[in-house]
């Protein structure tokens, strides 16, 4: 097997660990935020759903990330390294400041920046890039608006409900937790699969990476869980507890909105951010129910982090790829 491919796989697997720390922390924080689901059971939900998602909902996002933004024939290994390393650096920075970032935003921005640093800059599919970034922005707005409207509707319908309604939301949250992670597994989690696919093609490795190979899916799900458990604590606290203190009803609605949105975009092959979709859904719910429960300082810092992500990832990846092109 090609040595260059094997070395890159090490970077790709580390990238999967970083995704677990960032995105896994967000998902785990949401699942346990209402203090109903035990962290151990939440971890089992996370792993199981991550493993089965590609088989249930497909892998259309792999094709978008791996071929549509920049055709494979115009990629080289330096470009891939620039993309991966820049993404890892930016996510580690976000970990240090305890705020989750969109790895989808970061990854696509880094891919564009790396492409600009090579001789293939004119081959970047600008329309596809606009579609991806547009989809990310639209998904955030959708989740906020839906959260605001749904909580208003639910509160109106349940204004005479007994305390038993809370029990129902606790039970329903188990199902939406599974659905949330399934959505993530069919959308965000496929970035590493895309990297493996691209690297195999570029290095002429004599394998045909299958996006639905159970062995690959199992390995990636396991690495994701390891990243979540060992490095995802800061992000889990921010997403699960620092934005607002969530009750079962609020957690259920946020997960329902995020999972439905992410699964729809995954179906059409459009990568979006589960992290941003979930967090903004929660902010919309808090705004619709009681704006004073939302910690707006935390929300402001989250949004600022998301805004600077695109230019930062483009600049980082451009610099890294430019240097690699000069020294190799």
């Amino acid at each position: 097997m090609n040595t260059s491919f094997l070395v890159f796989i090490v970077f790709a697997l580390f990238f999967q660990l970083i995704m677990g720390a960032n995105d896994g922390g967000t998902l785990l924080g949401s699942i346990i935020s209402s203090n109903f689901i035990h962290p151990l059971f939440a971890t089992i939900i996370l792993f199981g759903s991550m493993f089965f998602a590609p088989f249930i909902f497909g892998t259309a996002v792999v094709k978008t990330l791996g071929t549509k933004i920049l055709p494979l024939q115009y990629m080289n290994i330096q470009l891939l390294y620039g993309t991966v390393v820049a993404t890892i650096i930016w996510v580690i920075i976000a970990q240090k400041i305890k705020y989750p970032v969109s790895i989808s935003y970061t990854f696509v921005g880094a891919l564009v920046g790396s492409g600009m640093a090579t001789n293939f800059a004119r081959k970047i599919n600008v329309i596809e890039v606009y579609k991806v970034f547009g989809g990310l922005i639209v998904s955030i707005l959708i989740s906020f608006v839906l959260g605001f409207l749904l909580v208003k509707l639910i509160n109106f319908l349940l204004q005479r409900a007994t305390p038993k309604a809370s029990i129902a939301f606790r039970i329903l949250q188990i199902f939406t937790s599974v659905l949330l992670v399934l959505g993530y597994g069919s959308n965000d989690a496929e970035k590493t699969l895309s990297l493996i696919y691209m690297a195999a093609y570029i290095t002429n490795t004599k394998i045909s990476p299958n996006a639905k190979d159970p062995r690959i899916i199992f390995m990636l799900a396991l690495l994701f869980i390891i990243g979540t458990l060992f490095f995802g604590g800061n992000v889990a606290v921010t997403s699960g507890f620092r934005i607002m203190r969530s009750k079962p009803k609020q957690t259920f609605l946020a997960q329902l909105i995020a999972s439905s949105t992410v699964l729809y975009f995954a179906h059409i092959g459009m990568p979006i951010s589960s992290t941003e979709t979930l967090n903004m859904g929660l902010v919309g719910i808090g705004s619709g129910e009681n704006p004073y429960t939302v910690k707006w300082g935390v929300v402001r810092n989250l949004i600022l982090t998301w805004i600077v992500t695109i230019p930062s990832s483009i600049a980082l990846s451009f610099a890294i790829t430019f240097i690699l092109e000069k020294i190799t």
Side-chain angles (χ1 to χ4, degrees):
M1 188 177 292
N2 193 304
T3 303
S4 179
F5 176 73
L6 290 176
V7 172
F8 182 81
I9 288 298
V10 174
F11 279 86
L13 296 181
F14 183 67
F15 176 78
Q16 185 72 3
L17 279 174
I18 293 297
M19 279 215 300
N22 185 83
D23 295 353
T26 298
L27 296 171
L28 191 64
S30 172
I31 294 172
I32 66 176
S33 62
S34 64
N35 295 316
F36 176 64
I37 298 178
H38 191 276
L40 178 59
F41 184 47
T43 304
I44 295 172
I45 290 175
L46 200 56
F47 178 81
S49 300
M50 282 285 295
F51 178 79
F52 288 108
F55 304 105
I56 298 174
F57 296 106
T59 55
V61 174
V62 171
K63 183 177 180 181
T64 297
L65 293 175
T67 63
K68 290 186 177 181
I69 293 175
L70 183 63
L72 282 172
Q73 63 267 33
Y74 302 117
M75 292 186 183
N76 57 29
I77 198 66
Q78 292 89 345
L79 183 149
L80 284 189
Y81 274 118
T83 300
V84 173
V85 174
T87 303
I88 289 173
I89 290 173
W90 185 246
V91 174
I92 290 176
I93 291 173
Q95 285 283 307
K96 293 297 183 181
I97 63 175
K98 300 182 181 181
Y99 281 93
V101 295
S102 167
I103 294 186
S104 293
Y105 263 126
T106 309
F107 184 87
V108 175
L111 184 58
V112 171
S114 292
M116 292 169 60
T118 68
N119 295 326
F120 311 128
R122 294 183 179 180
K123 302 298 181 180
I124 296 173
N125 190 334
V126 178
I127 294 177
E128 198 67 33
V129 173
Y130 285 151
K131 284 171 59 178
V132 170
F133 286 142
L136 289 166
I137 295 171
V138 168
S139 66
I140 295 170
L141 295 175
I142 288 174
S143 60
F144 178 85
V145 173
L146 283 179
F148 184 89
L149 295 177
L150 271 180
V151 77
K152 291 285 189 183
L153 176 62
I154 292 296
N155 287 343
F156 174 76
L157 295 175
L158 298 181
Q159 54 187 328
R160 296 183 180 179
T162 66
K164 291 183 178 180
S166 179
I167 299 175
F169 283 121
R170 288 176 184 268
I171 296 172
L172 288 171
Q173 189 203 333
I174 298 175
F175 296 100
T176 53
S177 294
V178 173
L179 196 61
L180 175 68
V181 186
L182 284 172
Y184 177 87
S186 63
N187 196 302
D188 293 61
E190 295 188 16
K191 283 181 277 295
T192 305
L193 285 171
S194 300
L195 286 169
I196 294 173
Y197 176 79
M198 289 186 282
Y201 178 89
I202 291 168
T203 58
N204 295 315
T205 300
K206 301 300 181 181
I207 67 168
S208 179
N210 182 358
K212 293 187 178 181
D213 187 326
R215 295 167 297 181
I216 295 176
I217 300 297
F218 180 86
M219 177 182 64
L220 294 179
L222 182 61
L223 285 171
F224 187 89
I225 292 298
I226 293 172
T228 300
L229 296 180
F230 286 93
F231 308 109
N234 287 338
V235 171
V237 171
T238 296
S239 297
F241 303 98
R242 289 179 66 193
I243 293 177
M244 60 182 284
R245 290 286 177 176
S246 302
K247 297 177 181 179
K249 176 186 66 179
Q250 297 163 332
T251 302
F252 161 73
L253 289 175
Q255 291 178 342
L256 179 64
I257 292 166
S259 57
S260 301
T261 304
V262 171
L263 283 171
Y264 171 75
F265 278 87
H267 175 70
I268 62 176
M270 185 74 70
I272 64 169
S273 172
S274 296
T275 301
E276 295 181 2
T277 305
L278 177 63
N279 284 333
M280 290 309 293
L282 191 60
V283 173
I285 290 165
S287 301
E289 190 157 49
N290 184 356
Y292 294 103
T293 63
V294 180
K295 298 178 181 178
W296 293 105
V298 176
V299 175
R300 179 199 62 208
N301 291 339
L302 272 174
I303 294 174
L304 287 174
T305 304
W306 296 340
I307 290 173
V308 300
T309 289
I310 295 175
S312 298
S313 59
I314 291 175
L316 270 173
S317 60
F318 181 93
I320 294 169
T321 304
F322 181 82
I323 293 171
L324 290 175
E325 288 266 289
K326 294 298 182 182
I327 64 177
T328 56

